[in-house]
Amino acid sequence: MTAPLEHEVSTMPDEALTREPTGRGAQAVSLLLVVLVTVAAVMVPVQATLAGGEQAYRRIGLTHPGALTGSITAALRGLADLASATTVGALVWLLLLGRTRSRRAEHGRSLEPDDRLVQSVLRHAAGWWLATAAGSVLFTAADSNGLPVETLSDTTALRFALFSGDLPRAWMVSVEASFVIVLLASLARGWTPHLVALWAALIGSLAPVVVGQVLVGPNHDFGGDAAVVQTVVGQALLGVALVMVLRLATGQVPRWRTGGLPAGWIRAAWVGWFLLVATEVVVTWFKLAGSGPTSSPTGMLALVRFGALVLLGVALAVIGRRPAVGTLVGGLAAGATVVVGAAMTRISPPQFFVPTSISQTLLGFDVPDAPSLRVLLTQWRPNLLFCTVVATALVAYGWGLWRLRLRREGWPAMRTLAWVLGWLVVLIATSSGFGKYSAPDFAVHMGVHMTLNMLAPVLIVLGAPITLALRALRPSSEPDQVGVREKLVALLPSRLLAFVYHPLLVFALYIGSYYGLYLTGLFGALMRFHWAHQLMNLHFLIVGALYFGLVIGVDPNPRRLPHLAKLGILMAAMPFHAFFGVILMDSTRIVAETFYRYLALPWAHDLAAIQRVAGGVAWAGSELPLLVVVLALGAQWARQDDKEAKRIDRHLDTGLDDSHEAYNVMLQRLASEGEARP
């Protein structure tokens, strides 16, 4: 893969290269490192599979598919993980770190990544990811169903294997995501298509993780959330390190004022590094399930991963002074982390063999007490994913306020209060007893989702985070880079955001989410998985933010509606929620009955009564948030009218506006014409 990259760089014009060349020694070492990491991505997972042998399959109730099937599956997993990390790293580089040029398009200014080397890396890595993910669909299905390679020609058996487990379906998601990235990388040249590609890359990276070893068992809610955060942060941080090694292999290192990377990225990378270490601690604690770190292969490999993360921290510490050295150390650490992680997926962790109750299998924890008000207020269980999101939102907002304070600029206190309260509502809804019981009790679940969809977004959009970011961020000081502020300014009027904020789309999502989720079999299918429950929470929060961003949002967006239209959208939604609540209360069909019957909780024997309470919550629970919205919309309307009246008064005071005089002249002319008629 390096030869095409070198040829492409060699044919680039000199003015396109804004990176200083490095010595041949560093280039040779980086080429060797690329080869070693690629070989290790194949050999280490294969060796882990062969070491376990047939006994490793039997211990978890699987039929051994043969050494060849297991080895090919392991090799494909290692290569796919390496390719996906490189793909995400290339996208992060193009969106945040690489050179971006501004050009005039038909409808205004647009931004376009201008780093052809990394664009080539993106195309190659996404292509490799597509190929290895497609192979993983086939061989993972065979591996988990005990099918040797020679039986893959049996279409009946293969069709059953493809859809009999979660992991082959997860790899299908990765195939779709990588295919989208390949198309966008080949056909699209703008900045926003790369943003779409990044979202697809993260979804494709997460799919095999959330249905892997963190899917079930005691405390799998902690393990699953930590794995999600670790994957998102790790794909970006480790992927950028791998991309930098590939750049160094072509003889180029970025020329930044800090020597290796922008100072802002270094600070962000340190935050990401601490998150990686923290989540690795949680995931390892979950997988070891109380056993010692040296008592199992999983523990030993986890120690190697910790060592690789320490090495990554060393790379961050030295890259500012020694870019080439930091790049090599960081690439070695990133490669080791990815390769060892792939090998760990081929070994059953001790957590697989601990006694587990039904509640622990489906929820991650037991819920022996009925959800009384005291229980809901006192029995907290931290939701690690949303705790991370809330902490990130509050810290980022606080950073913006600090930047404004340094410049002695003011910011409305009510906006800060609304932002803080909104995220506190999210924290309470997901990490208190309400969040803990939102899965086993349908009435509590409905209250949590109504809160995340209606109350929290109202407060969050009133905090005006985009406006704060535009004021806090400074224009880029680098002559060859468009900064984050410029990219944010270019994104706001883009066609992508205009599509996302289309009133009909937002309204359909806001209303249709309840009907499509709860009145079909989708809710019952999703509730079996913690990751799916978290996805529902995120969906309702994001859709609510889009909807109320249109109605009472302070931030700029490409769909600025008149106040009368905002009021119409608001009023149109009210009967749909009431009707949905009535349907739940009157329905004889129990929503997700199989899931709740399988839980068999002693305090949840009357599912019909619980559903009637949930219907009442859906019917009446939206009244208070909508009242807040109506009051906020009325205040905004009155404020705008007052500003418009003051503007007109100022204009009239200048004596330049003769509209009133023209109106009086028109009335006099009409009166004169009436008197002149016989």
Side-chain angles (χ1 to χ4, degrees):
M1 187 170 69
T2 57
L5 292 179
E6 291 177 348
H7 173 72
E8 186 163 350
V9 173
S10 65
T11 59
M12 292 172 62
D14 293 338
E15 60 270 18
L17 292 173
T18 59
R19 309 173 267 305
E20 60 175 317
T22 61
R24 292 186 178 274
Q27 184 178 357
V29 173
S30 62
L31 284 171
L32 178 62
L33 180 60
V34 170
V35 174
L36 289 177
V37 169
T38 304
V39 172
V42 174
M43 297 305 299
V44 175
V46 169
Q47 183 60 36
T49 301
L50 295 177
E54 186 175 351
Q55 184 64 24
Y57 287 82
R58 290 181 176 178
R59 291 183 66 196
I60 56 176
L62 297 179
T63 302
H64 189 236
L68 183 58
T69 299
S71 298
I72 295 176
T73 304
L76 287 171
R77 178 62 187 255
L79 291 174
D81 286 356
L82 191 62
S84 65
T86 307
T87 301
V88 174
L91 288 168
V92 171
W93 186 282
L94 291 172
L95 288 169
L96 297 177
L97 297 174
R99 180 177 178 181
T100 303
R101 62 188 177 95
S102 176
R103 61 183 177 85
R104 288 283 177 181
E106 181 181 353
H107 300 288
R109 192 181 73 161
S110 63
L111 301 179
E112 185 175 297
D114 194 30
D115 196 326
R116 279 175 278 178
L117 171 61
V118 181
Q119 287 174 341
S120 179
V121 170
L122 173 61
R123 289 191 294 271
H124 284 79
W128 276 104
W129 189 12
L130 176 60
T132 52
S136 295
V137 173
L138 180 65
F139 280 93
T140 298
D143 183 68
S144 57
N145 286 275
L147 299 179
V149 172
E150 56 269 19
T151 65
L152 294 180
S153 58
D154 186 348
T155 56
T156 302
L158 183 59
R159 188 182 304 111
F160 171 79
L162 288 174
F163 297 97
S164 63
D166 297 319
L167 200 52
R169 293 190 183 99
W171 282 112
M172 293 178 190
V173 175
S174 295
V175 169
E176 295 168 354
S178 56
F179 179 71
V180 169
I181 299 167
V182 169
L183 286 180
L184 292 175
S186 303
L187 303 177
R189 302 187 63 84
W191 184 76
T192 50
H194 287 82
L195 192 61
V196 176
L198 179 59
W199 278 102
L202 292 177
I203 292 173
S205 300
L206 283 170
V209 173
V210 296
V211 300
Q213 296 178 346
V214 295
L215 182 62
V216 295
N219 300 309
H220 75 262
D221 55 327
F222 290 153
D225 286 349
V228 168
V229 176
Q230 182 184 70
T231 301
V232 172
V233 176
Q235 290 289 86
L237 189 58
L238 302 178
V240 167
L242 294 173
V243 168
M244 291 183 66
V245 171
L246 290 173
R247 288 168 59 87
L248 184 60
T250 62
Q252 304 297 327
V253 167
R255 180 187 296 157
W256 300 104
R257 291 183 177 180
T258 57
L261 285 171
W265 173 257
I266 293 291
R267 290 191 292 268
W270 275 116
V271 175
W273 182 82
F274 281 111
L275 279 175
L276 279 182
V277 173
T279 52
E280 184 69 20
V281 169
V282 176
V283 172
T284 302
W285 164 80
F286 165 72
K287 289 183 177 181
L288 294 183
S291 63
T294 59
S295 61
S296 65
T298 297
M300 298 297 292
L301 289 176
L303 292 177
V304 176
R305 273 177 63 97
F306 277 113
L309 291 178
V310 171
L311 198 62
L312 184 63
V314 173
L316 287 175
V318 304
I319 196 169
R321 299 184 298 274
R322 302 288 299 274
V325 174
T327 298
L328 290 172
V329 174
L332 176 61
T337 303
V338 174
V339 169
V340 173
M344 292 177 73
T345 65
R346 305 298 301 167
I347 301 172
S348 299
Q351 184 268 343
F352 275 17
F353 308 104
V354 299
T356 307
S357 66
I358 294 177
S359 294
Q360 290 174 334
T361 300
L362 294 177
L363 308 177
F365 49 87
D366 290 318
V367 281
D369 301 321
S372 63
L373 182 60
R374 179 187 62 82
V375 169
L376 295 177
L377 293 177
T378 59
Q379 291 193 12
W380 284 58
R381 186 174 180 88
N383 186 311
L384 297 186
L385 176 61
F386 278 92
C387 284
T388 304
V389 172
V390 170
T392 303
L394 294 179
V395 170
Y397 202 88
W399 174 86
L401 294 177
W402 174 72
R403 292 291 297 268
L404 291 185
R405 181 163 184 167
L406 287 179
R407 300 203 298 262
R408 300 184 182 277
E409 296 181 17
W411 182 257
M414 292 304 296
R415 291 183 182 179
T416 303
L417 179 62
W419 180 262
V420 173
L421 288 178
W423 288 109
L424 286 180
V425 168
V426 172
L427 183 65
I428 294 171
T430 56
S431 293
S432 68
F434 290 96
K436 180 179 179 180
Y437 278 82
S438 62
D441 188 277
F442 187 51
V444 176
H445 169 91
M446 187 58 61
V448 168
H449 275 194
M450 296 286 287
T451 301
L452 292 176
N453 191 230
M454 295 186 179
L455 179 57
V458 171
L459 297 169
I460 289 172
V461 300
L462 290 177
I466 302 300
T467 303
L468 177 62
L470 290 173
R471 291 182 57 183
L473 291 170
R474 296 178 179 176
S476 175
S477 59
E478 298 289 343
D480 61 343
Q481 186 186 26
V482 177
V484 176
R485 189 183 189 281
E486 290 84 357
K487 292 175 181 178
L488 182 58
V489 170
L491 178 64
L492 290 175
S494 66
R495 294 179 180 178
L496 173 63
L497 212 59
F499 171 77
V500 171
Y501 267 99
H502 195 286
L504 293 180
L505 175 64
V506 173
F507 186 81
L509 288 173
Y510 183 69
I511 298 301
S513 296
Y514 287 91
Y515 290 86
L517 178 62
Y518 296 110
L519 301 185
T520 65
L522 183 60
F523 177 71
L526 293 178
M527 283 304 294
R528 297 182 295 121
F529 309 108
H530 174 72
W531 65 264
H533 192 192
Q534 295 286 64
L535 183 61
M536 283 187 276
N537 290 336
L538 285 171
H539 170 81
F540 279 111
L541 184 62
I542 293 172
V543 169
L546 290 175
Y547 177 78
F548 291 110
L550 275 178
V551 176
I552 58 170
V554 181
D555 288 326
N557 68 67
R559 299 285 185 176
R560 301 298 294 180
L561 302 178
H563 284 87
L564 192 59
K566 294 178 179 179
L567 184 61
I569 292 177
L570 183 63
M571 294 296 105
M574 296 180 67
F576 286 99
H577 283 111
F579 187 57
F580 171 74
V582 171
I583 291 176
L584 286 182
M585 288 188 290
D586 293 343
S587 177
T588 57
R589 185 183 70 86
I590 304 299
V591 176
E593 182 175 10
T594 302
F595 169 75
Y596 291 115
R597 295 291 183 198
Y598 193 72
L599 273 177
L601 298 172
W603 47 264
H605 56 277
D606 193 349
L607 297 180
I610 295 175
Q611 182 166 310
R612 285 193 294 270
V613 176
V617 171
W619 183 21
S622 62
E623 298 300 324
L624 179 59
L626 287 179
L627 177 61
V628 175
V629 173
V630 170
L631 292 176
L633 182 59
Q636 292 177 358
W637 200 340
R639 232 179 358 253
Q640 181 175 343
D641 288 345
D642 184 58
K643 290 181 180 179
E644 182 66 18
K646 290 180 179 179
R647 186 191 66 80
I648 293 176
D649 289 341
R650 287 195 302 268
H651 191 57
L652 291 174
D653 290 341
T654 63
L656 299 177
D657 193 311
D658 59 352
S659 57
H660 285 69
E661 289 76 2
Y663 181 71
N664 292 330
V665 170
M666 182 191 68
L667 292 179
Q668 292 176 1
R669 180 173 55 80
L670 292 176
S672 300
E673 290 177 356
E675 293 175 356
R677 289 176 184 172

